[in-house]
């Protein structure tokens, strides 16, 4: 298990950096391609698996390939944007989310991450992670990415962007998915 190199089938460099911190002993190389197929799955798992399978077709032979799909689900919006999170709100998804929520009192939300790893022999492993929380009234903090300036995890008073990358490495939905993935891969 130690010393694995995996290609991450994602255009998102933040995710590769986060994952490398989360999977001790693994080297994670972002797999650049301008030909990623559209995310058409109905679930995070289907999208993550689709990315990993596409990655296998372009990654150097013999590497593991990891696909990840994640999103934020807001209770008062019926779980939206969910699997559409990356395509929500154009240039300013944070502003759109705050605008849609307005003065709504129910601010409950959660982050979800699904990781699918394909071994060089094609065996598949996966892990799911969830981080419960709520949407802040206004953005705060500068670390992380995406919705982090407006996401306050359960039992915390500050946003993920204020809590920072070290906090994320221990507690995020992706950290939890990585833990579950490591459990699944253990003994391979
Ligand atoms: P995808 O997994 O590449 O489809 O993108 C998921 C989207 O969900 C990202 O573009 C972000 O908008 C949001 N998201 C997922 N994980 C995080 C996170 O850790 N912080 C902030 N936003 C996130």
């Amino acid at each position: 298990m130690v010393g694995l190199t995996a290609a991450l089938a994602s255009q998102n460099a933040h995710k590769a950096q986060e994952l490398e911190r989360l999977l001790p002993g693994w080297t994670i190389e972002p797999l650049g391609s301008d030909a990623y197929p559209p995310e058409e799955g109905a679930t995070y798992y289907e999208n993550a698996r689709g990315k990993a399978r596409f990655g296998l077709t372009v990654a150097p032979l013999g590497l593991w390939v990891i696909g990840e799909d994640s999103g934020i689900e807001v209770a008062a919006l019926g779980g939206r944007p969910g699997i559409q999170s990356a395509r929500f709100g154009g240039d300013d998804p944070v502003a759109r989310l705050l605008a849609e929520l307005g003065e709504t009192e129910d601010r409950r939300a959660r982050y979800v991450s699904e990781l699918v790893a394909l071994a060089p022999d094609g065996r598949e492993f996966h892990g799911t992670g969830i981080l419960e929380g709520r949407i802040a009234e206004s953005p705060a903090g500068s670390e992380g990415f995406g919705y982090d300036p407006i996401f306050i995890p359960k039992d915390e008073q500050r946003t993920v962007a204020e809590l920072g990358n070290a906090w994320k490495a221990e507690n995020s939905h992706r950290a939890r998915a990585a833990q579950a993935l490591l459990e699944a891969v253990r003994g391979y």
Side-chain angles (χ1 to χ4, degrees):
M1 275 257 344
V2 173
L4 281 180
T5 300
L8 178 69
S10 168
Q11 310 281 45
N12 187 332
H14 293 279
K15 283 189 184 175
Q17 284 168 7
E18 274 194 30
L19 266 187
E20 197 158 81
R21 287 191 217 110
L22 298 176
L23 295 169
W26 292 46
T27 303
I28 306 292
E29 297 177 354
L31 192 59
S33 166
D34 43 22
Y36 277 95
E39 289 177 20
E40 285 170 340
T43 61
Y44 300 103
Y45 167 70
E46 284 176 17
N47 283 337
R49 191 181 52 179
K51 289 178 203 175
R53 285 189 175 167
F54 170 77
L56 263 195
T57 68
V58 290
L61 277 183
L63 283 194
W64 284 66
V65 177
I66 297 178
E68 198 261 3
D69 198 53
S70 50
I72 187 168
E73 301 179 348
V74 181
L77 302 181
R80 281 191 308 120
I83 59 172
Q84 301 295 339
S85 296
R87 295 166 290 287
F88 178 81
D91 286 346
D92 202 344
V94 163
R96 168 142 180 225
L97 194 50
L98 288 177
E100 282 209 27
L101 266 185
E103 310 274 288
T104 310
E105 272 187 28
D106 178 4
R107 317 287 295 186
R108 287 171 303 139
R110 61 186 201 165
Y111 275 137
V112 182
S113 167
E114 182 73 35
L115 282 169
V116 171
L118 297 175
D121 64 7
R123 273 184 66 187
E124 180 187 308
F125 303 86
H126 75 105
T128 308
I130 291 174
L131 179 65
E132 303 282 353
R134 64 192 159 92
I135 303 298
E137 309 292 330
S138 55
S142 57
E143 293 196 29
F145 66 95
Y147 300 91
D148 289 342
I150 54 167
F151 188 88
I152 302 174
K154 192 164 175 279
D155 301 327
E156 298 288 347
Q157 303 304 322
R158 294 182 296 159
T159 67
V160 171
E162 292 176 293
L163 291 165
N165 294 330
W167 186 94
K168 266 189 113 170
E170 297 275 315
N171 302 289
S172 75
H173 49 311
R174 208 162 290 106
R176 293 169 188 201
Q179 278 306 320
L181 178 64
L182 285 175
E183 281 297 315
V185 173
R186 197 187 302 274
Y188 169 76

